[in-house]
Amino acid sequence: MTPTAPRLALTLTAASLMVAANLFTASTAHADDSPSVPPGTEPSASAPVNVDANDPDLKLPEGATLAEAKVLDIKQVVEDQSGDERREDTNADVKFALQAEVLFGKDSAKLSAEARARISGIAEEIKTQNATRIRVFGFTDNLGSSAHGDVLSRQRANAVQAVLDQELNDPNVTFEVRGYGEQYPISSNATESGRKKNRRVEVSFPRTES
């Protein structure tokens, strides 16, 4: 058995808890099932100033026009040495991606003994950011049927959401929980290493809420 590699993003204490796959009940928070903008495709920043397209100092070529002003995200990505856990920070959001193997058994939505410690660490960061809108999205690789992947990814997202809800214990928190199955891969499904990255649960939330 390969020893667990040190993690750069989080230092989590060991804890153990087995949570059933469909645990989605004991909740003081609200879960939203309505359709969502696909993850990672929505704008997270807007232009801070207005630009006058007719300003003569811009010296545009005749007939040229300015594109709509926008702010590019500054993204910081930290991944532990094993690749099991990844954190992305932008100017607007924090996103954690946990590979399914460290949370669940094969083709299962039952959380492993190590899973609660990892999810608890994410809950602490949510508290730090005072976030009350949390998205929990499940994903699979492209093996097996698409319908099975849709169901499994949702069940896994449900299981993670249930633990977050217990840890946060905050009636003001709203969850959006979705299973995307094989949609939105972050790596190639042509290799097992790529499929492993695609089998994941992502938890994302705003950096700070007023």
Side-chain angles (χ1 to χ4, degrees), residues 35-208:
S36 168
V37 176
T41 62
E42 69 276 47
S44 61
S46 57
V49 296
N50 293 322
V51 178
D52 182 5
N54 297 315
D55 189 332
D57 291 332
L58 291 175
K59 297 181 181 179
L60 294 173
E62 185 176 353
T65 58
L66 286 176
E68 183 179 353
K70 64 180 180 179
V71 174
L72 298 178
D73 280 339
I74 298 174
K75 180 182 290 188
Q76 179 184 29
V77 178
V78 178
E79 187 173 276
D80 67 7
Q81 291 183 8
S82 66
D84 292 342
E85 187 172 309
R86 176 186 178 97
R87 172 176 174 156
E88 296 182 6
D89 287 87
T90 71
N91 49 303
D93 298 296
V94 178
K95 179 179 9 179
F96 289 90
L98 299 175
Q99 288 189 7
E101 278 79 356
V102 302
L103 298 176
F104 309 99
K106 183 177 180 180
D107 201 32
S108 170
K110 187 175 183 180
L111 286 164
S112 68
E114 184 186 359
R116 187 179 180 91
R118 291 176 177 267
I119 299 170
S120 295
I122 295 175
E124 288 303 313
E125 182 63 21
I126 292 171
K127 293 176 184 177
T128 298
Q129 299 296 338
N130 297 314
T132 57
R133 293 182 292 108
I134 303 164
R135 302 195 301 186
V136 185
F137 294 155
F139 305 85
T140 63
D141 58 28
N142 67 346
L143 298 181
S145 72
S146 176
H148 177 69
D150 291 345
V151 172
L152 180 62
S153 62
R154 175 57 191 260
Q155 289 176 336
R156 287 174 167 177
N158 284 351
V160 172
Q161 183 272 340
V163 176
L164 285 173
D165 195 13
Q166 291 176 349
E167 292 287 326
L168 296 172
N169 192 27
D170 185 349
N172 296 314
V173 168
T174 298
F175 289 94
E176 180 185 347
V177 185
R178 290 179 63 83
Y180 284 98
E182 64 188 54
Q183 298 182 73
Y184 312 112
I186 57 174
S187 188
S188 171
N189 277 307
T191 65
E192 174 54 26
S193 61
R195 291 190 294 270
K196 183 179 179 182
K197 287 182 177 293
N198 292 332
R199 298 189 295 264
R200 68 198 190 279
V201 175
E202 293 182 353
V203 179
S204 60
F205 46 90
R207 289 190 61 83
T208 302

